[in-house]
Amino acid sequence: MQKLSAQLTLGLSLKDEATFANFYAVNNAEIIAELKKTSSGQGERVIYLRGTRGEGCTHLLQACCHYAYHHQLGSVYLPLANLLALSPEVLNGLESLAVVCIDDLHVVAGLSEWEEAIFHLYNRIYDRGGNIIIVANDSPRSINLSLPDLVSRLSWGMVYQLQPLVDTEKLAVLTMRANHRGISLSEEVGKYILTHCPRHMGTLFAALDALDKASLAAQRRLTIPFVKEVLQI
């Protein structure tokens, strides 16, 4: 998988399962279609995606990088929440890549050096004909950025709101993820997990991962008593 540029040795890797095929599109089909176009170098140059944690924004950014790689395009995934301990200079040179995906933009709001670094990176990417996909938890004008020019740039492209999943859709996602792992997850057990675990998709996936490992180790199928035992609920 495409790594960060030579001067970046942060060890940031993509999850293998974070692909478009593994994303339950439902009411977000238009967004997926546009992200695919941009990630293959054929769509909008700038996409700004609004969504709260657990709705799948991080999954989609990593899916964009996987998609770019399969189209032989250089890409990078930048989770800003993990980079704040470093200097904003880590962004230097990333304009050489065709697709740059920035996660959690809101965490740099009010941090002037980071805002300026992202502003200049945006301009360099745009001037070189690259593509930039950005995720934040609200619109460009609502995340309290202090640099007006950055707010203006972020509003140039397409701005999308990721539609959250209702419980029936979360159950469908959980079942789909289980099937991809080769796990037999009955509707009854799936509903039990959804009812007794926090309904944040990251937490639900972590629960499924724990159940998968425990099931393999114990050579037992997923039943409600087994789920209760493993997850201690």
Side-chain angles (χ1 to χ4, degrees), residues 15-232:
K15 293 182 178 179
D16 290 340
E17 66 271 18
T19 65
F20 289 123
N22 279 342
F23 190 81
Y24 190 73
V26 68
N27 296 322
N28 294 301
E30 178 185 350
I31 295 174
I32 302 301
E34 292 303 321
L35 289 174
K36 285 182 175 180
K37 290 178 185 177
T38 297
S39 301
S40 62
Q42 300 176 359
E44 294 286 339
R45 299 274 307 286
V46 180
I47 292 182
Y48 184 102
L49 185 58
R50 296 173 52 188
T52 57
R53 185 165 297 280
E55 292 181 353
C57 289
T58 294
H59 181 116
L60 288 176
L61 286 185
Q62 295 197 14
C64 288
C65 290
H66 282 297
Y67 204 75
Y69 175 77
H70 288 298
H71 284 80
Q72 299 182 325
L73 296 176
S75 65
V76 65
Y77 166 68
L78 297 171
L80 292 182
N82 295 348
L83 301 181
L84 290 184
L86 304 174
S87 165
E89 292 180 1
V90 297
L91 303 182
N92 293 345
L94 296 182
E95 66 275 6
S96 64
L97 299 170
V99 181
V100 175
C101 297
I102 298 178
D103 204 354
D104 291 332
L105 178 67
H106 51 275
V107 303
V108 304
L111 302 178
S112 59
E113 289 187 358
W114 274 99
E115 287 193 26
E116 290 178 12
I118 291 169
F119 172 73
H120 292 305
L121 173 62
Y122 180 109
N123 288 337
R124 295 195 304 270
I125 292 171
Y126 202 85
D127 290 345
R128 289 183 60 133
N131 304 281
I132 185 168
I133 304 167
I134 301 168
V135 159
N137 62 4
D138 211 332
S139 68
R141 299 188 182 278
S142 300
I143 59 173
N144 299 318
L145 294 169
S146 57
L147 187 61
D149 286 344
L150 177 57
V151 176
S152 175
R153 292 291 191 280
L154 295 173
S155 303
W156 278 3
M158 302 298 295
V159 178
Y160 289 106
Q161 170 73 59
L162 194 66
Q163 298 301 312
L165 300 175
V166 298
D167 283 353
T168 55
E169 293 164 346
K170 289 181 180 179
L171 178 59
V173 171
L174 201 60
T175 303
M176 179 179 72
R177 181 64 64 91
N179 288 338
H180 287 166
R181 284 174 165 267
I183 306 171
S184 177
L185 181 69
S186 69
E187 182 177 353
E188 180 186 23
V189 172
K191 286 182 176 178
Y192 183 86
I193 295 171
L194 193 63
T195 302
H196 292 83
C197 291
R199 297 183 184 185
H200 179 289
M201 289 310 301
T203 303
L204 292 172
F205 289 153
L208 186 64
D209 184 56
L211 290 168
D212 184 20
K213 292 176 181 176
S215 175
L216 287 172
Q219 292 296 296
R220 291 175 60 183
R221 63 189 182 89
L222 296 189
T223 62
I224 289 178
F226 185 67
V227 169
K228 291 175 67 174
E229 176 186 337
V230 173
L231 299 182
Q232 299 181 345

